[in-house]
């Protein structure tokens, strides 16, 4: 008798054992998927963890339905990594499995399928496959378990897998996330004219059109020098003709237009040589390599524009030369486009991109290419989830903008930090990690002070462009004298005017947190609240409605107060939209655009705005946090921060560190090629953080903040575990909170903070309470977690509390 322990894609505390026969055991390996029944006749895709001969003690092992893979989908190093994650972040292996693997590889009974409308080639289908397609045509969409009445249930998962591979069907969840990739326009010879003997004839077609003939000649001359597809734009530029000329050739069916997805263009020989590093870059590069001799992690602190990316390029090259895989992590999908365009020039076909906006099929393709160490996936660029790919021989992980909080996954579990999990992943592979940032997180910086990480700095911008000059404008004084023009000081307006006059671009930054405009009654002060969350609704002028940022609830704007009926209602506070309107009114001639959560919801709107900004179709860009992240524009000479204070006042122990990072990063968008200028408007020009930003004094900031962290017992000196409780019923929640906080305090004493009610105390009709456990370094983290877990079990065994949602977040953000 043989048994396998499997990981189910569910939040189960342990693995389950199934029975396999002799034939199956000969085929099975850890890391392969099997279809199994679990719970009430539900089928899941489980992952084999171990193969053994010990029957389970408390239940009878069921047989499996079917083996899905011929080759392990997940390798041993990944399993080790997942085990570490589950243990460290206090979650189940099943939850890690579920987030790690693309969902089309995890089919289960409840997965809903739909037919792919473009699929027509039904001749290639087996009779069972045909039955499924037919059923989907009749019903539009069906969950997998309903297909078991049509075909043999045990075979259904593999049938569906084949149909997905044939592009005949897809998962319903995919519909919402179909990625509209950016397409680039290319031109080629129309298929009628492809054979070489027709080339003479083709010119007969354009005898009487000189411009078209020239364009066609140009086309052939470009064609003779390259194997690569020819861009529409390249042709108009080289032939010095208008698009209309080329379109005429297309009309005549001599040329043909086609499109290629920008990040999937394959280059054959147009690889650019990497740039020659400056003296300072060489020094940094050598230091990094030297430190890698005895440190597995090196922190590269280089000011914005110092040329860190070019150093990454050299380090990547070294790894690729040794046939090692490289993972390049970025905090945000939006950032990948710019970086990929740069890396493509050097590494061409060796780059694979991986993120959640890609279709499932594309993600599976990247997964398989990485698994098989394919040439086309030697360098993987992606966001935090790319750390889950099945790397075989990873040599280097680069974590760019390592200070970014978006590396931490908040929801769902595993609530992991991709920088920290990368370091563990690298350890498993015996690989190196380079953390890069202009404003390192205090955690990483402290680790370098403690000599755990290596440390290398680049203090100058490339080409010795000076760091932007930061000027503080005290708006308290100006407000008092009533000299503000809306939200703009005269000084800021004057500098905008100058920049526009010089044909330079301007970025205006407004913090996302707080200060969204709300409707308020002048008589009684009441502002309309969300009916499901504990927040004021914010006013969206464009849609003329009031909206909740947490749950999306909307209602129409009322002209009178909902509480007292007074018709004196006014808009308070300011958001990016208001700034946009004000600046447009001040500079009616300028092209103003806005980049924030609302304007970038569409799949590609973010890239479109960036593209327009880069092409200088936008003069002034108003935006939030999104603007701070590593973007590279060379015509921006002025950055204005409208109000620095709301950042500083946020109730969070990281607020000061974050303010410093955000302000320095936003400031870093100015003057990449010649010295730029930054205006920071603030009520507190003497606040230490504001002064440190103005002086670009990271070390001072780190020193003072680290002192405070130590004094008040926060990371990096203490570890934290955050515990959140949520429930619809406030009384139940309060009772549960009291019970748990007493129990925690019994065990951990005054290391427990709270319970507190968060700033937003209710979201989607659920009330929220929070507690924080602080763990000193001389206390075993492992033992603490075991104790917390035991308390959790006791808590949930109390009938009244079972329905309370209890969320544990290790190293919370
Ligand atoms: P960072 O990543 O540190 O912000 P980048 O790598 O983006 O800096 O470099 C800033 C600018 O300087 C970019 O436009 C880049 O192309 C240019 N640059 C950096 N290093 C070199 C080099 N060695 N030779 C030529 N240009 C360089
Ligand atoms: Zn009122
Ligand atoms: Zn709401």
């Amino acid at each position: 008798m043989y048994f396998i322990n499997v990981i189910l894609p569910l939040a189960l505390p342990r693995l389950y054992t199934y029975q396999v026969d002799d034939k199956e055991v000969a085929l099975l390996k850890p890391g392969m998927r099997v279809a199994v029944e679990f719970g009430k006749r539900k089928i899941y895709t489980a992952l084999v963890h171990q193969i053994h001969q010990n029957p389970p003690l408390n239940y009878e092992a069921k047989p499996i339905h079917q083996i899905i893979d011929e080759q392990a989908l997940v390798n041993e190093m990944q399993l080790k990594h997942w085990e570490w994650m589950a243990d460290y972040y206090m979650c189940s292996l099943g939850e890690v499995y579920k987030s790690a693997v693309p969902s089309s590889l995890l089919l289960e009974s409840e997965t809903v399928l739909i037919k792919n409308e473009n699929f027509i080639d039904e001749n290639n289908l087996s009779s069972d496959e045909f039955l499924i397609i037919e059923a989907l045509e009749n019903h539009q969409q069906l969950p997998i378990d309903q297909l078991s009445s049509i075909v043999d249930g045990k075979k259904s998962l593999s049938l569906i897998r084949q149909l997905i591979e044939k592009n005949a069907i897809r998962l319903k969840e995919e519909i919402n996330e179909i990625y509209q990739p950016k397409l680039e326009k290319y031109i080629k010879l129309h298929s009628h004219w492809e054979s070489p003997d027709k080339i003479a004839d083709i010119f007969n077609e354009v005898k009487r059109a000189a411009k078209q003939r020239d364009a066609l000649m140009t086309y052939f001359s470009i064609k003779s020098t390259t194997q690569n597809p020819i861009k529409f734009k390249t042709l108009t530029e080289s032939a010095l003709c208008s698009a209309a000329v080329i379109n005429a050739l297309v009309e005549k069916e001599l040329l043909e237009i086609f499109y290629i997805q920008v990040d999937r263009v394959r280059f054959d020989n147009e690889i650019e040589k990497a740039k020659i590093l400056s003296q300072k870059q060489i020094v940094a590069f050598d230091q990094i390599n030297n430190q890698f001799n005895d440190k597995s992690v090196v922190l590269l602190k280089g000011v914005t524009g110092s040329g860190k990316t070019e150093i990454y390029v050299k380090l990547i090259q070294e790894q690729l030369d040794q046939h090692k895989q490289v993972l390049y992590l970025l905090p945000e999908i939006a950032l990948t486009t710019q970086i990929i365009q740069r890396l493509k020039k050097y590494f061409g076909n060796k780059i694979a991109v991986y993120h959640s906006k890609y279709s499932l099929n594309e993600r599976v393709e990247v997964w398989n290419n990485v698994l098989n160490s394919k040439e086309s996936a030697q360098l993987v660029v992606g966001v935090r989830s790319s750390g889950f790919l099945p790397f075989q021989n990873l040599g280097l992980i680069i974590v760019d903008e390592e200070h970014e909080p978006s590396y931490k996954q908040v929801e769902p579990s595993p609530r992991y930090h991709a920088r920290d999990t990368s370091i563990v992943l690298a350890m498993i592979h015996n690989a190196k990690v380079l953390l890069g940032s202009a404003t390192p997180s205090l955690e990483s910086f402290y680790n370098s002070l403690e000599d755990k990480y290596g440390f290398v700095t680049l203090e100058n911008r490339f080409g010795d462009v000076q760091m932007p000059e930061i000027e503080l404008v005290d708006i308290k004084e100006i407000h008092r004298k009533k000299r503000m023009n809306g939200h703009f000081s005269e000084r800021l307006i004057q500098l905008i005017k100058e920049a526009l006059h010089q044909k330079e671009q301007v970025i205006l930054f407004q913090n996302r947190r707080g200060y969204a405009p709300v409707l308020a009654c002048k008589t009684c002060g009441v502002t309309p609240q969300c009916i499901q969350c504990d927040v004021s609704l914010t006013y969206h002028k464009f849609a003329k409605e009031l909206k909740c940022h947490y749950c999306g609830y909307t209602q129409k704007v009322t002209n009178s107060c909902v509480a007292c009926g007074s018709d004196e209602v006014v808009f308070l506070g300011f958001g990016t939209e208001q700034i946009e309107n004000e600046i447009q009114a001040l500079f009616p001639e300028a092209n103003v655009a806005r980049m924030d959560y609302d304007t970038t919801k569409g799949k590609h709107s973010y890239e479109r705005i960036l593209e327009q900004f880069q092409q200088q179709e936008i003069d002034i860009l108003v935006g939030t946090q999104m603007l701070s992240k590593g973007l590279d524009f060379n015509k921006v000479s002025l950055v204005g921060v409208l109000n620095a204070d709301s950042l500083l006042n946020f109730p969070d122990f990281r607020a000061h560190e974050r303010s410093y990072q955000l302000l320095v990063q936003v400031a870093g968008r100015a003057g990449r090629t010649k010295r730029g200028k930054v205006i920071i408007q603030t009520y507190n020009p003497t606040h230490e953080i504001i002064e440190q930003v103005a002086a670009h004094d990271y070390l001072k900031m780190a020193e003072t903040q680290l002192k405070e962290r130590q004094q008040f017992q926060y990371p990096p000196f203490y570890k934290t575990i955050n515990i959140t409780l949520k429930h619809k019923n406030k009384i139940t929640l309060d009772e549960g909170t009291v019970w748990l906080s007493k129990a925690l305090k019994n065990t951990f004493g005054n290391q427990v903070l709270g319970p507190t009610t968060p700033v937003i105390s209710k979201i989607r009709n659920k009330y929220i309470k929070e507690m924080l456990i602080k763990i000193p370094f001389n206390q075993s983290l492992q033992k603490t977690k075991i104790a917390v877990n035991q308390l959790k079990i006791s808590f949930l065994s109390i009938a009244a509390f079972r329905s309370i949602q209890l969320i544990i977040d290790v190293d919370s953000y």
Side-chain angles (χ1 to χ4, degrees):
M1 276 288 226
Y2 288 95
F3 297 93
I4 55 174
N5 290 353
V6 301
I7 308 172
L8 283 152
L10 300 165
L12 301 167
R14 52 198 174 84
L15 304 182
Y16 275 76
T17 306
Y18 288 81
Q19 185 188 321
V20 287
D21 61 29
D22 293 358
K23 254 194 284 168
E24 287 167 331
V25 84
L27 297 171
L28 277 172
K29 282 203 194 78
M32 283 186 180
R33 288 171 301 159
V34 288
V36 298
E37 193 177 295
F38 182 80
K40 287 199 189 103
R41 321 196 97 250
K42 292 222 170 81
I43 303 171
Y44 290 94
T45 300
L47 196 81
V48 181
H49 190 264
Q50 288 141 288
I51 305 168
H52 57 85
Q53 292 191 293
N54 315 314
L57 296 177
N58 312 322
Y59 56 97
E60 188 168 345
K62 286 188 221 162
I64 63 169
H65 276 188
Q66 186 182 40
I67 302 176
I68 298 177
D69 294 309
E70 285 160 18
Q71 171 202 359
L73 180 80
V74 168
N75 62 41
E76 274 167 43
M77 289 178 281
Q78 284 174 287
L79 286 175
K80 248 194 221 164
H81 192 220
W82 294 5
E83 272 157 29
W84 179 84
M85 278 178 89
D87 183 56
Y88 188 85
Y89 293 106
M90 302 180 74
C91 64
S92 69
L93 263 181
E95 288 169 297
V96 182
Y97 171 43
K98 198 171 164 103
S99 9
V101 176
S103 52
S104 58
L105 298 175
L106 287 182
L107 301 175
E108 58 186 55
S109 312
E110 276 152 46
T111 309
V112 177
L113 302 172
I114 54 171
K115 186 182 175 236
N116 213 346
E117 281 124 46
N118 306 324
F119 181 75
I120 28 167
D121 190 12
E122 294 183 355
N123 299 327
N124 267 333
L125 301 178
S126 70
S127 54
D128 275 347
E129 287 172 349
F130 188 76
L131 286 175
I132 293 178
I133 292 292
E134 205 180 39
L136 285 173
E137 262 167 8
N138 294 334
H139 292 90
Q140 320 232 314
Q141 63 177 58
L142 282 176
I144 288 181
D145 58 0
Q146 289 191 25
L147 292 169
S148 29
S149 56
I150 305 169
V151 296
D152 175 3
K154 291 191 179 179
K155 280 198 294 184
S156 58
L157 289 195
S158 61
L159 279 170
I160 286 155
R161 186 168 53 100
Q162 285 158 17
L163 284 169
I164 291 176
E165 275 167 18
K166 289 181 180 172
N167 250 324
I169 59 176
R170 60 176 186 235
L171 310 193
K172 185 175 175 224
E173 64 187 83
E174 216 186 337
I175 295 298
N176 312 327
E177 53 171 55
I178 293 269
Y179 180 56
Q180 292 298 338
K182 190 175 168 204
L183 298 174
E184 202 142 44
K185 204 166 168 184
Y186 284 78
I187 193 96
K188 66 178 179 193
L189 208 53
H190 195 281
S191 53
H192 304 328
W193 302 93
E194 261 167 11
S195 74
D197 52 315
K198 288 191 177 159
I199 290 191
D201 299 339
I202 195 171
F203 283 99
N204 284 335
E205 306 281 322
V206 286
K207 254 193 291 192
R208 250 158 278 140
K211 279 189 186 159
Q212 292 175 29
R213 194 178 54 226
D214 287 349
L216 207 52
M217 296 272 267
T218 312
Y219 172 82
F220 281 110
S221 85
I222 300 175
K223 185 92 190 117
S224 68
T225 62
T226 176
Q227 302 277 328
N228 296 325
I230 299 168
K231 280 188 198 165
F232 191 95
K233 207 163 124 219
T234 311
L235 184 54
T236 53
E237 281 169 7
S238 313
L240 299 170
C241 69
S242 66
V245 175
I246 313 294
N247 286 333
L249 289 166
V250 172
E251 194 86 337
K252 289 185 180 167
E253 299 200 332
L254 303 178
L255 294 180
E256 198 174 345
I257 289 171
F258 67 108
Y259 292 88
I260 308 183
Q261 197 172 315
V262 168
D263 47 19
R264 305 201 117 213
V265 188
R266 295 290 178 205
F267 294 86
D268 292 322
N269 48 18
E270 244 175 54
I271 300 292
E272 225 171 73
K273 277 238 163 59
K275 296 196 164 69
I276 297 169
L277 295 188
S278 70
Q279 209 49 44
K280 285 174 182 135
Q281 284 170 317
I282 292 173
V283 172
F285 173 77
D286 289 341
Q287 283 174 340
I288 293 168
N289 268 332
N290 279 335
Q291 300 194 12
F292 275 152
N293 286 330
D294 53 28
K295 297 257 161 45
S296 35
V297 184
V298 172
L299 173 61
L300 170 61
K301 175 183 173 297
V303 297
T304 50
S306 56
K308 295 185 288 295
T309 316
E310 301 302 328
I311 295 180
Y312 302 157
V313 166
K314 288 278 195 277
L315 291 164
I316 294 168
Q317 190 62 55
E318 282 187 332
Q319 296 295 325
L320 300 189
D321 289 345
Q322 299 169 48
H323 304 284
K324 293 268 194 177
Q325 295 170 313
V326 177
L327 170 61
Y328 189 140
L329 283 179
L330 288 161
E332 188 98 15
I333 292 173
L335 273 183
T336 54
T337 325
Q338 264 201 353
I339 280 291
I340 291 160
Q341 280 171 359
R342 273 174 85 174
L343 295 177
K344 269 256 143 81
K345 288 198 213 139
Y346 306 133
F347 303 114
N349 296 346
K350 293 186 176 149
I351 307 184
V353 184
Y354 191 77
H355 59 59
S356 61
K357 284 204 177 165
Y358 273 18
S359 76
L360 283 169
N361 274 347
E362 284 167 309
R363 268 182 277 166
V364 171
E365 185 187 319
V366 174
W367 183 285
N368 288 329
N369 288 345
V370 173
L371 181 66
N372 298 312
S373 298
K374 285 264 177 63
E375 184 79 11
S376 60
Q378 284 286 96
L379 168 59
V380 176
V381 180
V383 293
R384 58 172 184 254
S385 58
S386 23
F388 284 123
L389 285 164
F391 295 100
Q392 303 279 338
N393 63 341
L394 204 47
L396 174 69
I397 303 177
I398 294 168
V399 185
D400 200 6
E401 311 289 350
E402 68 88 29
H403 63 278
E404 274 295 329
S406 45
Y407 276 124
K408 170 85 175 174
Q409 168 141 320
V410 180
E411 205 50 55
S413 180
R415 301 184 169 80
Y416 66 101
H417 196 297
R419 173 193 62 219
D420 302 340
T421 52
S422 290
I423 291 171
V424 175
L425 181 66
M427 230 143 61
I428 295 172
H429 282 262
N430 217 347
K432 302 294 177 192
V433 181
L434 183 70
L435 308 177
S437 173
T439 52
S441 64
L442 289 178
E443 282 84 352
S444 299
F445 184 64
Y446 181 70
N447 279 329
S448 77
L449 290 179
E450 292 284 286
D451 237 15
K452 273 204 228 159
Y453 299 170
F455 185 64
V456 174
T457 55
L458 275 172
E459 297 296 347
N460 296 292
R461 287 190 154 182
F462 179 77
D464 289 324
V465 177
Q466 278 188 300
M467 293 306 286
E469 181 194 345
I470 298 180
E471 187 180 316
L472 304 178
V473 174
D474 182 350
I475 45 176
K476 185 157 71 222
E477 198 51 15
I478 304 177
H479 265 297
R480 205 177 52 80
K481 293 184 188 149
K482 301 212 183 325
R483 302 277 301 268
M484 286 293 274
N485 197 330
H487 296 95
F488 293 85
S489 61
E490 259 166 50
R491 179 70 180 143
L492 182 52
I493 294 174
Q494 176 206 342
L495 287 169
I496 295 173
K497 205 179 279 168
E498 283 170 20
L500 295 179
H501 186 71
Q502 305 282 332
K503 301 257 176 283
E504 290 160 347
Q505 290 172 297
V506 177
I507 285 179
L508 295 176
F509 170 79
Q510 170 56 25
N511 180 32
R512 168 165 47 91
R513 284 171 163 172
Y515 286 110
V518 296
L519 195 65
C521 171
K522 263 186 147 175
T523 311
C524 73
V526 163
T527 63
Q529 302 285 306
C530 176
I531 53 167
Q532 309 189 74
C533 312
D534 163 40
V535 288
S536 297
L537 296 169
T538 55
Y539 173 56
H540 288 243
K541 180 165 177 256
F542 181 71
K544 290 209 171 35
E545 60 190 16
L546 299 171
K547 189 165 176 187
C548 170
H549 274 201
Y550 289 86
C551 73
Y553 167 81
T554 55
Q555 77 182 39
K556 283 267 154 284
V557 175
T558 49
N559 293 324
S560 56
C561 171
V562 283
C564 73
S566 150
D567 53 10
E568 276 202 283
V569 287
V570 290
F571 294 109
L572 291 182
F574 70 110
T576 40
E577 197 174 333
Q578 207 168 339
I579 301 293
E580 184 190 12
N581 292 334
E582 282 181 18
I583 195 73
Q584 188 70 78
L586 285 165
F587 296 96
E589 247 87 281
N591 291 315
V592 180
R594 172 164 62 99
M595 185 155 86
D596 58 18
Y597 179 75
D598 291 312
T599 60
T600 54
K601 263 188 296 204
K603 287 291 179 244
H604 266 271
S605 32
Y606 189 103
E607 276 146 35
R608 204 174 48 240
I609 297 172
L610 288 185
E611 175 84 22
Q612 287 175 342
F613 195 52
Q614 206 127 37
Q615 303 292 334
Q616 297 191 49
E617 288 162 26
I618 297 170
D619 304 312
I620 304 174
L621 185 58
V622 181
T624 57
Q625 266 65 352
M626 288 183 174
L627 285 175
S628 70
K629 295 183 187 161
L631 298 163
D632 201 0
F633 308 109
N634 49 31
K635 275 288 179 185
V636 175
S637 66
L638 177 67
V639 167
V641 175
L642 288 151
N643 180 333
D645 305 283
S646 61
L647 287 169
L648 293 165
N649 300 335
F650 205 77
D652 173 274
F653 72 88
R654 285 193 176 87
H656 285 182
E657 176 192 358
R658 282 296 295 143
S659 306
Y660 180 89
Q661 289 163 338
L662 252 166
L663 291 173
V664 168
Q665 294 283 351
V666 177
R669 303 308 118 211
R672 309 277 283 193
T673 43
K674 76 171 226 259
R675 189 170 198 200
K677 179 115 192 162
V678 179
I679 293 288
I680 298 180
Q681 300 190 146
T682 170
Y683 286 89
N684 287 296
T686 54
H687 192 291
E688 66 176 13
I689 289 287
I690 302 282
E691 285 181 340
Q692 288 154 1
V693 169
H696 295 280
D697 197 345
Y698 176 86
L699 294 183
K700 189 71 181 288
M701 183 284 291
E703 190 191 326
T704 43
Q705 291 305 312
L706 282 173
K707 250 189 224 142
E708 281 184 22
R709 296 280 182 92
Q710 184 158 32
Q711 189 186 347
F712 297 104
Q713 309 187 334
Y714 280 109
F717 301 95
Y718 282 65
K719 286 260 165 197
T720 59
I721 298 177
N722 191 71
I723 297 179
T724 307
L725 298 114
K726 292 188 185 176
H727 199 273
K728 293 218 164 189
N729 184 320
K730 196 164 184 302
I731 296 165
T732 311
L733 181 73
D734 286 343
E735 283 169 3
T737 309
V738 168
W739 188 99
L740 188 64
S741 95
K742 266 192 194 149
L744 285 169
K745 281 176 183 167
N746 270 339
T747 316
F748 300 110
N750 60 7
Q751 282 167 245
V752 183
L753 288 194
T756 56
T757 306
V759 183
I760 313 294
S761 67
K762 186 175 85 169
I763 295 179
R764 292 177 197 276
N765 282 327
K766 282 189 178 169
Y767 294 90
I768 308 169
K769 290 280 182 192
E770 285 180 341
M771 280 173 259
L772 188 73
I773 309 173
K774 298 197 215 172
I775 306 150
F777 265 79
N778 56 13
Q779 177 179 323
S780 156
L781 189 58
Q782 203 54 35
K783 282 189 188 146
T784 308
K785 286 179 188 166
I786 292 169
V788 171
N789 258 332
Q790 270 160 358
L791 287 179
K792 176 180 169 183
I793 291 166
S794 322
F795 178 78
L796 293 176
S797 67
I798 298 169
F801 302 154
R802 202 161 297 152
S803 55
I804 295 179
Q805 196 184 344
L806 197 149
I807 297 162
I808 299 179
D809 186 358
V810 179
D811 297 342
S812 52
Y813 256 71

